[in-house]
Amino acid sequence: MSRRRFLFLAFVGLIAYLIVMVRLFYLQIIRGKYYKELSQKNYVRKRIIYPQRGDILDRKGEKIAQDVPKYMLFLDHQKLQEEGNLKEVLENLKSLFNVQLDYESLRKRRSIEPILLMELKTQEEIDKFYNYSYKLPGVFINTIPSRFYPQGEICAHVVGYVGYPTEKHLQKYGDRISTQSLVGMYGLERAFDQDLLGKVGAEEVMVNAVGKVIGNIGYVEPEKGNTLVLSIDVRIQRIAYEVFRDSGHKAGAVLVLDSRTGEVLALLSYPSFDPNKISDLWQAYSGDSLKPLFNRALYAKYPPASVIKPALGVALLEKGVSPKEGIVCHGSFELGNRDFFCWNRSGHGWVNLHKAIKDSCDVYFYYYGYYKLGPREIERVLRSFSYGEEIPFDLPLSKGFIPTPQWKKSKLKEPWYGGDTVNMSIGQGFLKATLFEQTLMMMAIVNDGVIYKPILVREKRDANGNVIWKAKRSVYKVVRAKPEYFALVREALRDVVRSGTATSAYSSIVDIAGKTGTAQISVHSARRKNLPYHLRDHAWFVGFAPYRDPVFVIGVLVEHGGSGGSAAAPIARRILERIYMEGIHKEL
């Protein structure tokens, strides 16, 4: 080898050596920390596969909540290793889908998680992506389940709604969810989130320090959540919704129970909201003065008014008051230097228990509530019928309030007056009750004192449709009294509808019995016409049907509806009539 050639080869070798050394210096010294972190932190690339959330079905299998696919566009910037390529893709994204991303931020991005770009809402957008996918390397579609509520407003307060997880959710559920998972925020979606949630799956690949895929590690199948089967019958729920809406009243609630099992057949709070549009209309719902997001069927508390009279009637019979015994109602009851008026200022004449319940005579209950029962006995009786108690249920429930002399002394710094007992005897004063309490009281009247635990969720099924849990009928409370006393009260409740204060609930289609209530909320007389909406009385009707062999117990509350007989009773009648006209009662 000539000397010149040797020097040339040595020079070339030296240059190559210097190039390698400079590259090693750049990689190890200048970019060493970056690649070290990249190799340590991003050794495994994980693509989340979202599971289906469990369905929610009514008792007949009608879907109340289900998952539908949502097509989301993602960018996997790790696949775009050449800068020119990335610039070109960003330009195409902007021109095709109006998606703008910052080039410099992406170039410096170290995370290997794909970037969510947008939702493809129409078939045209999906077709556009596939037609131009050759211009969008690294861009892909991933389907993420989206929650859909086929019944819309009708079942909203039962089923609730979902949302994206907060930090608390991510900590609570760990690897069961990811940032795009849907978690329960309200209603059954929240109460049974653990059952409905499922578990995310993942596709895992091995990457090298610069993000290049060098092998597949594995695939974890997502797990679908459990399905809930409710006691709700969507047909009855829809009837309740439509009847209340068509009544023209602004707000209220309806509860329909199966008297033989405690199953909830309908649970309505009105006005309602559309859970499919909850995020878009949140501000409108939140600012609505009628509070459509507030569940009146579960949480609202109002004076129970005359609806409690059947419960007190049973107690009076137990105390030894004869059904034939009575007093003369002249329209008022005098206690000390004060008169407590009956709703009928002209008076009812001579009344016994039957007539007092039928005509809702206040004076009868003033007299016997004061002289025979007293505040402590009234409290005991009401609690035995479930008022003011923690009622076991699948959703959170408020409980009513029963005032006592001790409470008034400690809270208001005032003694308990005889007038407090008198007001309490007709469901007024400080006394408060919920729709559930009122309706369960009527269940006790129907069942000779037995109150069944209210059931909303009948079954839980796994992803394969196997029943993994089933609700059983269970007794919640038993009111101790003679069956004949309950029979006497039921007979009076039938006459309330036939010829008493609830004749507007009378039907030739189904034999209805029940009790009205008009809850006074201001000192203004109920007789005064054209009262402002917020000063009008609340209207109650709680009843059962059919009279001979009761199946349905129904409670209706009309907020600021005025009279129970004119506002609430007709709603109950129309709901029950439609159940019978549509033949639903035969299936139950």
Side-chain angles (χ1 to χ4, degrees):
M1 181 184 296
S2 65
R3 187 169 181 273
R4 178 178 295 181
R5 188 172 182 181
F6 173 79
L7 290 175
F8 175 76
L9 290 175
F11 178 75
V12 171
L14 179 62
I15 295 299
Y17 175 76
L18 290 174
I19 291 173
V20 170
M21 293 302 294
V22 168
R23 182 62 178 169
L24 288 174
F25 178 82
Y26 174 79
L27 292 175
Q28 294 185 5
I29 305 302
I30 297 177
R31 300 285 285 171
K33 184 178 179 181
Y34 165 74
Y35 287 117
K36 182 179 179 181
E37 290 178 356
L38 199 63
S39 64
Q40 290 176 345
K41 295 182 180 179
N42 302 333
Y43 184 71
V44 175
R45 178 187 298 169
K46 179 184 289 187
R47 178 175 293 172
I48 298 299
I49 303 173
Y50 291 91
Q52 282 189 314
R53 193 171 171 85
D55 295 332
I56 301 178
L57 313 176
D58 86 332
R59 66 190 299 118
K60 305 293 288 183
E62 187 84 12
K63 287 190 176 180
I64 298 176
Q66 66 184 107
D67 274 9
V68 294
K70 183 163 61 173
Y71 297 94
M72 309 299 291
L73 204 62
F74 286 85
L75 169 64
D76 188 349
H77 63 288
Q78 290 288 323
K79 291 187 176 181
L80 302 174
Q81 297 181 19
E82 298 180 12
E83 295 180 359
N85 230 358
L86 179 57
K87 281 185 177 179
E88 185 180 343
V89 169
L90 295 184
E91 289 173 0
N92 291 336
L93 279 172
K94 183 178 179 181
S95 63
L96 290 171
F97 296 103
N98 199 29
V99 173
Q100 298 189 51
L101 297 174
D102 183 65
Y103 167 73
E104 288 299 329
S105 299
L106 280 179
R107 194 172 65 84
K108 297 175 182 178
R109 183 181 172 92
R110 296 187 179 184
S111 170
I112 59 171
E113 283 292 321
I115 301 166
L116 174 61
L117 300 176
M118 63 179 292
E119 178 185 356
L120 302 179
K121 296 182 178 180
T122 65
Q123 187 60 46
E124 288 75 13
E125 289 179 326
I126 296 172
D127 291 340
K128 181 189 288 187
F129 167 75
Y130 285 116
N131 290 336
Y132 292 97
S133 59
Y134 67 95
K135 290 186 175 183
L136 301 168
V139 180
F140 64 94
I141 291 178
N142 193 12
T143 56
I144 295 177
S146 175
R147 206 60 165 164
F148 176 62
Y149 302 96
Q151 311 305 327
E153 291 190 4
I154 293 172
C155 296
H157 283 100
V158 176
V159 70
Y161 53 84
V162 294
Y164 291 117
T166 63
E167 282 299 324
K168 280 189 175 181
H169 290 115
L170 294 170
Q171 292 174 9
K172 176 182 179 181
Y173 293 125
D175 61 358
R176 289 185 64 186
I177 65 173
S178 187
T179 54
Q180 294 296 312
S181 295
L182 296 174
V183 295
M185 296 293 184
Y186 181 70
L188 284 171
E189 294 278 27
R190 179 175 179 175
F192 287 84
D193 205 21
Q194 290 274 10
D195 293 285
L196 295 165
L197 199 57
K199 185 178 181 180
V200 296
E203 179 186 25
E204 294 181 321
V205 293
M206 188 181 296
V207 298
N208 61 16
V210 293
K212 185 177 180 181
V213 176
I214 58 176
N216 292 320
I217 296 177
Y219 176 83
V220 178
E221 189 78 26
E223 298 176 14
K224 182 180 177 179
N226 294 329
T227 291
L228 301 182
V229 181
L230 308 185
S231 60
I232 293 286
D233 190 313
V234 162
R235 297 168 299 176
I236 299 177
Q237 183 78 16
R238 183 178 294 108
I239 288 169
Y241 176 85
E242 291 174 354
V243 169
F244 202 104
R245 178 198 63 195
D246 296 344
S247 73
H249 293 291
K250 295 181 180 180
V254 176
L255 177 62
V256 183
L257 303 175
D258 188 325
S259 64
R260 305 158 302 175
T261 62
E263 289 184 322
V264 177
L265 302 174
L267 192 161
L268 174 74
S269 179
Y270 193 89
S272 189
F273 62 92
D274 189 344
N276 296 304
K277 302 175 181 178
I278 191 70
S279 57
D280 297 332
L281 299 178
W282 180 262
Q283 293 297 328
Y285 288 142
S286 301
D288 192 325
S289 61
L290 292 176
K291 300 180 180 178
L293 298 175
F294 178 61
N295 193 331
R296 291 168 168 85
L298 300 183
Y299 308 130
K301 293 179 280 190
Y302 307 91
S306 296
V307 173
I308 68 167
K309 289 175 181 177
L312 297 184
V314 172
L316 290 173
L317 291 170
E318 277 288 306
K319 278 284 186 179
V321 176
S322 169
K324 297 179 180 180
E325 180 181 338
I327 63 167
V328 177
C329 170
H330 295 290
S332 65
F333 172 71
E334 186 178 342
L335 184 65
N337 59 355
R338 183 177 173 187
D339 287 331
F340 292 85
F341 292 99
C342 185
W343 70 268
N344 183 353
R345 295 293 182 91
S346 300
H348 290 98
W350 185 87
V351 290
N352 59 7
L353 178 61
H354 181 100
K355 184 174 173 59
I357 292 176
K358 178 178 77 75
D359 295 332
S360 199
C361 177
D362 293 332
V363 169
Y364 180 93
F365 286 94
Y366 289 152
Y367 177 87
Y368 285 103
Y370 183 79
Y371 289 111
K372 281 287 186 179
L373 296 176
R376 289 176 179 82
E377 183 63 11
I378 293 175
E379 180 194 5
R380 185 198 67 78
V381 170
L382 292 180
R383 290 196 184 280
S384 72
F385 277 91
S386 83
Y387 289 94
E389 298 284 278
E390 295 282 355
I391 298 171
F393 193 53
D394 294 320
L395 290 173
L397 283 176
S398 290
K399 63 178 182 177
F401 175 72
I402 303 175
T404 64
Q406 294 81 4
W407 165 83
K408 191 179 180 189
K409 184 177 180 181
S410 63
K411 187 72 175 179
L412 303 181
K413 311 301 181 187
E414 293 180 2
W416 185 270
Y417 299 109
D420 294 322
T421 303
V422 168
N423 281 326
M424 193 176 177
S425 299
I426 62 162
Q428 292 288 169
F430 302 110
L431 191 62
K432 294 288 188 295
T434 67
L435 179 62
F436 260 84
E437 291 169 350
Q438 300 268 67
T439 311
L440 290 185
M441 179 277 295
M442 192 58 69
M443 183 190 288
I445 300 294
V446 165
N447 293 328
D448 291 339
V450 176
I451 303 176
Y452 294 110
K453 175 183 176 292
I455 295 170
L456 182 59
V457 178
R458 295 183 92 193
E459 291 179 1
K460 296 178 187 178
R461 298 175 184 170
D462 64 18
N464 298 317
N466 302 311
V467 177
I468 57 176
W469 177 87
K470 193 177 182 71
K472 295 180 180 179
R473 185 180 75 164
S474 62
V475 174
Y476 163 51
K477 276 183 178 290
V478 177
V479 181
R480 305 293 178 183
K482 294 180 180 180
E484 53 264 36
Y485 295 162
F486 291 106
L488 286 169
V489 170
R490 286 196 297 271
E491 186 179 359
L493 292 171
R494 178 183 58 179
D495 286 346
V496 169
V497 173
R498 288 186 171 185
S499 58
T501 59
T503 53
S504 57
Y506 178 79
S507 170
S508 59
I509 297 172
V510 52
D511 195 3
I512 303 171
K515 185 71 190 76
T516 57
T518 303
Q520 189 175 351
I521 63 169
S522 74
V523 296
H524 298 279
S525 171
R527 294 178 177 80
R528 178 178 160 188
K529 296 181 178 180
N530 301 320
L531 276 173
Y533 176 75
H534 70 282
L535 294 179
R536 297 174 193 169
D537 296 336
H538 302 308
W540 290 100
F541 179 83
V542 182
F544 59 93
Y547 172 72
R548 293 289 178 191
D549 188 15
V551 175
F552 304 101
V553 181
I554 185 168
V556 177
L557 163 74
V558 182
E559 195 173 272
H560 301 299
S563 163
S566 62
I571 292 174
R573 172 179 56 79
R574 292 183 193 117
I575 291 171
L576 290 169
E577 283 182 337
R578 281 190 56 181
I579 290 172
Y580 274 74
M581 287 189 293
E582 295 180 23
I584 301 170
H585 66 291
K586 296 178 182 179
E587 300 176 24
L588 295 168

